[in-house]
Amino acid sequence: MSHKLSAEQVQFDTDKTIFGFWVYILTDCVLFASLFATYAVLRNGTAGGPSGAELFNMPYVLVETLLLLTSSFTSGMALLAATKRNKSATLMWLGITFALGTIFVGMELHEFSNLVQDGNSWRRSGFLSAFFTLVGAHGLHITAGLLWLVALVQQVVQKGFTSGTLKRLQLFSLFWHFLDIVWIFIFTIVYLIGVVKV
Amino acid sequence: MFADLLGRLHLSDFQHDMIATGGQLSIVFGILGIVGLLFYLKRWKWLWREWLTSQDPKKIGVMYIIVAFVMLIRGLGDTMLLRTQQATSVGNSHGILTSDHFQQIFSAHGTLMIFFVAMGLMFGLINLILPLQIGARDVAFPFLNSVSFWLFAAGMGLVNLSLIVGEFSAAGWLAYPPLSGIALSPGVGVDYWIWSLQIAGVGSLLSGVNFLVTILKMRAPGMTLMKMPIFVWSVLGSMTLIVFAFPFLTGALALLGLDRTIGTHFFTSDLGGNPMMYVNLIWAWGHPEVYVLVLPAFGIYSEVVATFARKRLFGYTSMVYALASITVLAFLVWLHHFFTMGAGANVNTFFGIMTAVIAIPTGVKVFNWLFTMYRGQIHFKTPMMWFLAFVVTFTIGGAAGVLMSIPAADFQLHNTLFLVAHFHTMIVGGVLFGYFAGFSYWFPKIFGFRLNERLGRYALYSWLVGFVLAFVPLYILGIMGATRRLDHYDASLGWQWLFIIAAIGALTILLGVGFQVAQLVVSIITRYDNRDLTGDPWDGRTLEWSISSPAPVYNFAVIPTVTDRDAFWESKQSEAVKLPPVYTDIVLPKNTGMGVIIAGFAFLFGFAIIWHIWWLMVIALFGIIGSMIVRASDDDTEEVITADEVARIEIAAAQRSVL
């Protein structure tokens, strides 16, 4: 690079980006809010098909939940290791996060494919449309996060801890925790409330 | 086998009836003409280096405005067809358009005017002026800004492509299901609508995030929130609305797209779907969108009226609170778009009252503007004239809005031309006049010369007279019971003469646009005589006027320190000795073509889904992801303008102003 930015400028740039990322997360919250609202409206639109209580396998979903929560913890550990400039520990924690995230997505796809095979796809009813879309939108976010993680690991390996990679590690961590929180809402509103018999 | 590779796309999709072929040919020849001209003048490299890859918000702003103006002309072309149809299609005559084509045209007209004209002019002016007004050199995320613009351009490209390949939506500008569902609209039209708006909408959302952070994080030292120019406040309100409202658009469009493409049942009438959910979602975006557009226009009027009355804006604090309360109320009124849905008396009453309440902060603003003029020295320049035209029309349109906020009255007026007249009064008389005022007000700052005053006034008079002629008949027709989107009516109704007057009004507006084009051409030809050498042609009040015109690429050689509202005006009044400036190196973002590339892939992505060309969709998706990774790995994204170079540019500008 032909120039050096002062430490203050770097700090300002990082703060600005993180603030901007919070605003982005806010917009994503609103997007999920619209999907949650749609789910709530269409929840009883089963059109004679199965309802959540008949479809959901709670122990399975609980395992998914625990995997995702643990991956949030490990992504936090990766960030802690990065602030200590410990490259191997950072990479290890990121690797574990990636593995847990991948298993989560795999389990979700497995759940989806079982439903589709039993004839309960998104074409079956408004309820199932909303279910697949809400849970699938979260799954897509996780998948995007996994892709991001791969790119991030490659950057950390190649460049080490620069102001750029450190900044992106923080952003990734925010993103991952955010997806965790969204999942907790999905777990509660879709699955837990879904199996309660009224 | 090979045909399958192109999904739903067939040769017959290129064939149209006569009028559509006219539109098709005009677009093809327009593009060929521009391409040919660029080859002839050998300007490709220049275009790429200086404009398409630019990260400078001033240049991005100019590109937004060019796109918006071209789309304004296309949208007006649609208007002329619609007005001709309604003026002639009576009794035994069926006018010039088929029903289906008529429906496509009014859908395209609304879509273009809101998303690509009004939004384009808004983001254009914000890009041009906002960083200058807060004493910043750039926006918070310059690269993101370029991506936003190019996504906007990609969406615009898709809308216009529909004219050449396939068809456009015939389901109205908001495409209510079940009409817009796959059962009743099996063609590609609604898909064109969905994907052009989805792509442009994501661009707008990213811009919203960008400018929100810019305003909150990038202000010059000393500029506290209550010292910000009122335009900055209005943009802050508007961007807040974008951040909270646009995800609803993304969501609603995605769900409608899923219904149409993979057979979900969100908005179908059967199998547990609920069409009214779409109407709620789309208006949870759509109503705030109205305020997204009008708030910055309010900000422009506030700047214009203070400058041309040579007075500090009356009631700054109340203006800020009015803007903020409109921002909040904007989210509490969406249901007034469908009082007739049957939500019940209590729900309708709540939304009716909230709607009427918005008139209060708006009224505060109107009186603040009037009191700013009171005892001011008013200079009747073009921007001020647009403001005066606005005050009258907007107040009339607002009164019509309050009338319709009463659910009982709305049941009569719902879906009539009265409503059409009302929202055109707000969008033309409120939004468009504001952006025209801002355009002529800030033009010298960007280009270094003023626009021709005489032709500007002619344009204003034509627009104002045309506007009254075009829309007053629609108010009357609406009360007489004429519903919107009629392509034919019975002669015994006696409506035709009113429709003919409306058509004459549309022609007069067209004349106004002609004057605007002439104004631009004449001003460019005579630019030497209208040069703005001082950088402060209107005796302005805010920071953008403190630097030379055209504004240098780095905006401010030395970042100003703000001590008061109307910072530049105060510094002009102060007797304090100004110290000679000390220049330092300035870091600016390097040009990059990545914005064009990402948006290009997004365009292909949209096109592929519209036509069900799945392999292309996958390629485009990987293209988008790959480009983002490449960009994120690039650390060499900035360049330096040295202190010596800054000094050279500044001294040259100072010498120009002495001459």
Side-chain angles (χ1 to χ4, degrees), chain A residues 1 3 5 12 16-17 19-20 23 26-27 30-31 34-35 37-38 41-42 45 47 122-126 129-130 133 147 151 155 159 168, chain B residues 140-141 205 209 212-213 216-218 243-244 247-248 250-251 255 258 262-266 271-272 274 277 281 587 625 632-633 635 638 640:
Chain A
M1 265 194 289
H3 61 280
L5 294 172
F12 175 72
K16 187 179 69 182
T17 310
F19 179 68
V23 180
L26 176 79
T27 66
V30 179
L31 179 65
S34 72
L35 296 181
T38 309
V41 168
L42 300 185
W122 52 84
R123 291 165 185 269
R124 178 66 190 83
S125 68
S129 299
T133 305
L147 281 174
Q155 283 190 16
K159 298 178 186 167
R168 285 179 202 127
Chain B
F141 309 112
L205 185 58
V209 174
L212 192 69
V213 178
L216 293 178
K217 289 281 184 186
M218 305 275 285
V243 162
F244 281 99
F248 281 107
T250 312
L255 301 185
L258 289 175
I262 66 164
T264 51
H265 294 283
F266 287 105
L271 288 168
N274 187 340
M277 188 61 205
L281 284 175
V587 181
I625 296 170
S633 324
D635 286 330
E638 286 169 334
V640 176

Side-chain angles (χ1 to χ4, degrees), chain B residues 343-362:
Chain B
N346 292 340
V347 174
N348 280 358
T349 308
F350 172 81
F351 283 96
I353 292 171
M354 292 323 278
T355 306
V357 162
I358 286 199
I360 296 171
T362 316

Side-chain angles (χ1 to χ4, degrees), chain B residues 44-122:
Chain B
W44 279 106
K45 263 192 185 153
W46 165 83
L47 184 71
W48 180 257
R49 282 208 195 126
E50 294 291 316
W51 290 93
L52 305 188
T53 60
S54 177
Q55 309 285 295
D56 179 353
K58 295 183 287 296
K59 286 190 172 166
I60 291 177
V62 170
M63 291 193 286
Y64 265 115
I65 290 176
I66 292 172
V67 171
F69 211 80
V70 173
M71 287 302 105
L72 174 68
I73 290 169
R74 203 207 128 179
L76 271 176
D78 291 342
T79 304
M80 299 320 296
L81 290 174
L82 298 177
R83 282 277 140 265
T84 312
Q85 173 73 10
Q86 289 193 321
T88 56
S89 176
V90 53
N92 292 327
S93 159
H94 283 267
I96 54 169
L97 301 171
T98 61
S99 294
D100 184 61
H101 194 191
F102 180 78
Q103 288 158 7
Q104 285 187 41
I105 291 176
F106 69 63
S107 306
H109 169 80
T111 308
L112 284 170
M113 289 300 198
I114 294 290
F115 287 91
F116 299 104
V117 177
M119 290 295 272
L121 287 173
M122 178 188 84

Side-chain angles (χ1 to χ4, degrees), chain B residues 245-317:
Chain B
F246 265 70
F248 281 107
L249 177 70
T250 312
L253 292 175
L255 301 185
L256 185 63
L258 289 175
D259 267 8
R260 292 180 54 83
T261 313
I262 66 164
T264 51
H265 294 283
F266 287 105
F267 310 128
T268 54
S269 309
D270 56 353
L271 288 168
N274 187 340
M276 285 322 295
M277 188 61 205
Y278 175 86
V279 180
N280 272 287
L281 284 175
I282 202 81
W283 282 113
W285 158 80
H287 197 86
E289 164 70 4
V290 178
Y291 293 95
V292 167
L293 294 176
V294 83
L295 287 184
F298 288 163
I300 292 169
Y301 294 127
S302 307
E303 302 289 342
V304 164
V305 75
T307 301
F308 292 99
R310 299 284 186 276
K311 261 179 77 187
R312 188 172 250 222
L313 183 71
F314 182 90
Y316 174 93
T317 314

